């Protein structure tokens, strides 16, 4: 993989024998040209899909509450019918493992598929560019506008663009915070100018990040900030699909009339129109080979296919292919066959297994969590009739959507009993802490520490039972 530089190092004579070399290269603004085609359409499908989900999800209701809400304050996550407590952290871990493995799998098959189509940086840059194009025009109009002197017209266009960007960014920030605070309450608080300090901070922080990354930083986030861009090449091999230029077919490049025969002119299929460079959001020339800046967006494929159509040449001068495919001239069938290589099959098998395991464990999950903590104030005490008593604090977490009454029992020592309330009501999706007194008759256990188990049962229709271990201390 090679890297392209926008501007070479600056060399300046600093003295008779000394030469000072500046390694700093100023950013040159990129003005991507509009393009249409199959891959651009796919990107827009994904822009719509991801954004409908992102902006729409917090507004969905479920059992008179927000369907998806990560309530950090109450330490509870709601995902429609699923109510998760911090004790369910394993499921989040499972989801992260699935996301990482899916990224490995798709990268091994088709390179930077995530970057080119679904990454938030790509998606928001696409939306911001769309707004920019609607107000300032396409590539050449935007370049002219930026080079022109300040005028009322230029000021108006720039003002309108930034105003829309800011509005969109703040809406994005508000939606983001709406996943952690009920979005309806949040919207009311915004309209009443009564937003809390932390909510205000996160709305503005996330909004500012969106505005800065999609409006200004753009390709620099992919080139210099994204860690995935740095290590994804380790997941590539010679059978990974990448956006490639068919050098054997395209070179020598050169302009010509549409009616001219390239063979007679000694030219390849590339008409050197540079449109593939003009549409590239990272400003690289794919004809120089695979470069780490390429995010695999396939805009150059769409525009080059268009050029090929106009010239009456076959499509595919720039196309999705593999290094092996290009070297051996393989067709689609061979590429697909090579795509199903051991690495891909192993990733797929592990991914499938983890998905099934997570699904089964979620299905079988007990909707009741119990934490048992011994009362540290009084380890053990003698009560009436010589009974030994230990006190515990039970945290009962109801992970169902209905109110529950739980019965509390204990086992593990002869004659052991619960001397406090035997039943406890806990409202739907709520948790409740209760003090539980456990007593053992005199002489039933030797002095020392003994293992006991609390048995918590729900008395509802779908009875569930949780067994939690603890210790009972008998004093000397
Ligand atoms: S768009 Fe196609 S024909 Fe035009 S310069 Fe790029 S590779 Fe050559
Ligand atoms: S080289 Fe082509 S695929 Fe790569 S980023 Fe540029 S336009 Fe997208």
């Amino acid at each position: 993989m090679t890297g392209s530089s926008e501007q070479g190092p600056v060399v300046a004579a600093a003295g008779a024998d000394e030469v000072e070399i500046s390694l700093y290269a100023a950013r040159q603004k990129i003005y991507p040209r509009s393009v249409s085609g199959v891959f651009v359409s796919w990107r827009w499908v994904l822009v719509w899909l991801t954004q409908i989900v992102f902006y729409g999800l917090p507004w969905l209701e479920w059992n008179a509450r927000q369907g998806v809400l990560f309530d950090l304050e109450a330490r509870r996550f709601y995902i429609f019918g699923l109510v998760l407590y911090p004790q369910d952290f394993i499921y989040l871990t499972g989801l992260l493992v699935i996301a990482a493995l899916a990224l490995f799998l798709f990268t091994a098959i088709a390179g930077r598929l995530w970057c080119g189509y679904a990454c938030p940086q790509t998606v928001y840059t696409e939306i911001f560019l769309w707004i920019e194009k609607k107000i300032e025009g396409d590539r050449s109009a935007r370049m002219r506008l930026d080079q022109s002197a300040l005028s009322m017209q230029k000021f108006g266009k720039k003002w309108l663009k930034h105003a829309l960007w800011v509005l969109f960014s703040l809406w994005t920030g508000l939606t983001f915070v709406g996943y952690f605070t009920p979005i309806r309450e949040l919207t009311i608080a915004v309209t009443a100018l009564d937003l809390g300090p932390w909510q205000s901070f996160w709305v503005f922080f996330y909004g500012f990040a969106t505005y800065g990354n999609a409006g200004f930083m753009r390709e620099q986030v992919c080139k210099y900030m994204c860690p995935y861009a740095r290590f994804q090449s380790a997941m590539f091999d010679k059978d990974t699909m990448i956006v490639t230029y068919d050098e054997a077919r395209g070179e020598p490049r050169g302009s010509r009339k549409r009616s001219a025969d390239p063979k007679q002119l000694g030219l390849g299929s590339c008409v050197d129109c540079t449109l593939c460079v003009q549409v590239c959001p990272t400003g690289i020339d794919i004809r120089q080979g695979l470069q780490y800046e390429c995010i695999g967006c396939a805009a150059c494929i769409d525009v080059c296919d268009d050029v090929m159509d106009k010239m009456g040449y076959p499509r595919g001068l720039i196309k999705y292919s593999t290094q092996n495919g290009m070297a051996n001239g393989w067709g689609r069938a061979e590429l697909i066959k090579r795509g199903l290589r051991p690495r891909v099959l192993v990733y797929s098998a592990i991914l499938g297994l983890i998905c099934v395991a997570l699904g089964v464990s979620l299905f079988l999950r007990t909707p009741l969590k119990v934490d048992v903590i011994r009362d540290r104030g009084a380890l053990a005490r003698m009560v009436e009739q010589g009974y030994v008593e230990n006190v515990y604090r039970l945290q009962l977490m109801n992970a169902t959507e209905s109110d529950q009454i739980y019965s509390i029992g204990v086992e593990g020592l002869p004659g052991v009993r619960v001397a406090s309330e035997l039943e406890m009501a806990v409202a739907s999706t709520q948790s409740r802490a209760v003090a539980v007194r456990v007593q053992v008759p005199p002489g039933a256990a030797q002095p020392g520490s003994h293992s006991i188990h609390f048995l918590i049962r729900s008395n509802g229709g779908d009875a569930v039972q949780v067994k939690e271990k603890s210790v009972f201390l008998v004093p000397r």
Side-chain angles (χ1 to χ4, degrees):
M1 230 187 245
T2 60
S4 69
S5 69
E6 289 161 351
Q7 188 177 307
V10 178
V11 181
D17 302 319
E18 287 176 27
V19 173
E20 189 178 304
I21 299 175
S22 168
L23 295 175
Y24 174 74
R27 181 199 177 209
Q28 287 177 352
K29 189 173 171 185
I30 294 169
Y31 298 85
R33 191 189 185 100
S34 292
V35 59
S36 57
V38 179
F39 298 107
V40 172
S41 303
W42 270 113
R43 188 161 35 262
W44 274 106
V45 167
L46 279 153
V47 168
W48 277 104
L49 270 179
T50 51
Q51 298 318 293
I52 286 171
V53 170
F54 176 70
Y55 294 105
L57 212 51
W59 292 96
L60 295 183
E61 290 274 297
W62 182 273
N63 279 346
R65 61 163 167 82
Q66 188 166 317
V68 178
L69 181 68
F70 306 114
D71 191 343
L72 297 178
E73 209 176 317
R75 304 209 296 162
R76 214 153 304 156
F77 289 0
Y78 303 95
I79 304 168
F80 299 109
L82 201 62
V83 182
L84 299 173
Y85 283 86
Q87 285 78 356
D88 294 311
F89 195 74
I90 185 76
Y91 297 114
L92 181 63
T93 313
L95 274 180
L96 290 177
V97 171
I98 287 173
L101 270 172
L103 196 63
F104 292 170
L105 175 65
F106 292 127
T107 308
I109 296 174
R112 297 181 72 173
L113 212 52
W114 164 256
C115 301
Y117 295 89
C119 170
Q121 179 61 22
T122 302
V123 165
Y124 287 114
T125 302
E126 195 82 25
I127 295 169
F128 273 54
L129 258 175
W130 181 84
I131 295 172
E132 190 170 83
K133 282 171 194 166
K134 288 286 163 206
I135 295 168
E136 296 183 358
D138 203 5
R139 176 183 154 89
S140 43
R142 298 202 305 276
M143 289 168 94
R144 274 199 310 275
L145 185 72
D146 278 0
Q147 283 155 14
S148 67
L150 188 60
S151 63
M152 278 310 286
Q153 196 202 25
K154 180 174 178 175
F155 178 79
K157 283 185 174 179
K158 294 281 177 193
W159 185 90
L160 182 60
K161 177 181 85 172
H162 286 282
L164 289 176
W165 279 2
V166 167
L167 273 180
F168 184 82
S169 302
L170 287 176
W171 180 37
T172 308
L174 188 80
T175 304
F176 174 74
V177 177
Y179 278 90
F180 301 93
T181 302
I183 199 159
R184 285 177 168 76
E185 290 171 24
L186 201 64
T187 316
I188 292 167
V190 168
T191 46
L193 297 178
D194 189 26
L195 215 53
W198 279 111
Q199 292 161 342
S200 308
F201 170 79
W202 282 109
V203 167
F204 282 105
F205 180 80
Y206 200 82
F208 178 75
T210 308
Y211 176 69
N213 288 342
F216 299 93
M217 301 290 286
R218 293 189 176 171
E219 81 289 346
Q220 294 186 91
V221 174
C222 312
K223 283 161 84 171
Y224 308 119
M225 290 163 68
C226 176
Y228 173 57
R230 299 281 142 191
F231 70 78
Q232 44 88 25
S233 61
M235 293 180 243
F236 278 36
D237 60 26
K238 291 193 170 174
D239 289 311
T240 298
M241 295 287 263
I242 45 173
V243 175
T244 47
Y245 167 68
D246 189 343
E247 197 177 339
R249 185 187 143 191
E251 301 296 319
R253 68 187 77 159
S255 59
R256 81 285 314 256
K257 283 199 178 118
R258 219 174 118 194
S259 53
D261 180 359
K263 280 200 186 105
Q264 276 188 356
L265 297 170
L267 292 172
S269 294
C270 176
V271 300
D272 205 14
C273 60
T274 73
L275 284 175
C276 49
V277 183
Q278 293 177 35
V279 298
C280 179
T282 63
I284 59 169
D285 186 345
I286 192 66
R287 295 172 299 171
Q288 290 173 5
L290 180 60
Q291 294 149 68
Y292 82 87
E293 295 96 330
C294 174
I295 58 165
C297 69
C300 53
I301 299 183
D302 278 334
V303 80
C304 189
D305 278 349
D306 214 26
V307 174
M308 294 296 108
D309 288 350
K310 283 182 185 138
M311 295 301 291
Y313 301 164
R315 289 180 158 208
L317 178 57
I318 303 177
K319 61 185 173 185
Y320 271 113
S321 187
T322 66
Q323 282 174 276
N324 275 337
M326 292 303 285
N328 301 309
W330 287 338
R332 181 177 294 198
E334 186 65 24
L335 289 177
I336 292 172
K337 204 171 120 199
R338 293 293 296 229
L340 298 173
R341 53 202 185 278
R343 179 184 188 171
V344 169
L345 296 177
V346 168
Y347 281 157
S348 308
I350 297 174
L351 187 61
L353 274 175
I354 295 179
C355 285
V356 170
L358 188 71
V360 169
S361 107
L362 272 172
F363 182 72
L364 298 176
R365 171 177 166 269
T366 309
L368 165 64
K369 305 278 160 208
V370 179
D371 268 355
V372 179
I373 304 162
R374 283 187 50 82
D375 183 356
R376 297 195 192 281
L379 289 180
R381 63 184 175 205
M382 303 298 286
V383 291
E384 312 94 64
Q385 297 166 8
Y387 273 76
V388 182
E389 182 178 277
N390 282 199
V391 181
Y392 303 82
R393 186 172 166 274
L394 263 63
Q395 185 82 21
L396 305 178
M397 290 163 265
N398 178 3
T400 70
E401 301 268 353
S402 53
D403 297 348
Q404 298 284 342
I405 294 177
Y406 296 112
S407 63
I408 302 167
V410 65
E411 64 175 28
L413 282 173
V416 65
R417 67 182 189 192
V418 173
S420 49
E421 275 187 79
L422 294 175
E423 285 193 333
M424 198 57 61
V426 184
S428 75
T429 75
Q430 299 301 307
S431 69
R432 188 171 169 191
V434 287
V436 176
R437 290 186 288 119
V438 174
Q439 296 179 349
V440 168
Q446 295 297 316
S449 154
H450 302 273
S451 174
I452 57 165
H453 287 94
F454 283 96
L455 298 170
I456 302 32
R457 278 176 71 85
S458 72
N459 295 338
D462 47 346
V464 290
Q465 177 171 302
V466 169
K467 196 172 178 180
E468 275 297 315
K469 196 177 168 189
S470 190
V471 288
F472 188 92
L473 295 180
V474 179
R476 289 181 195 285

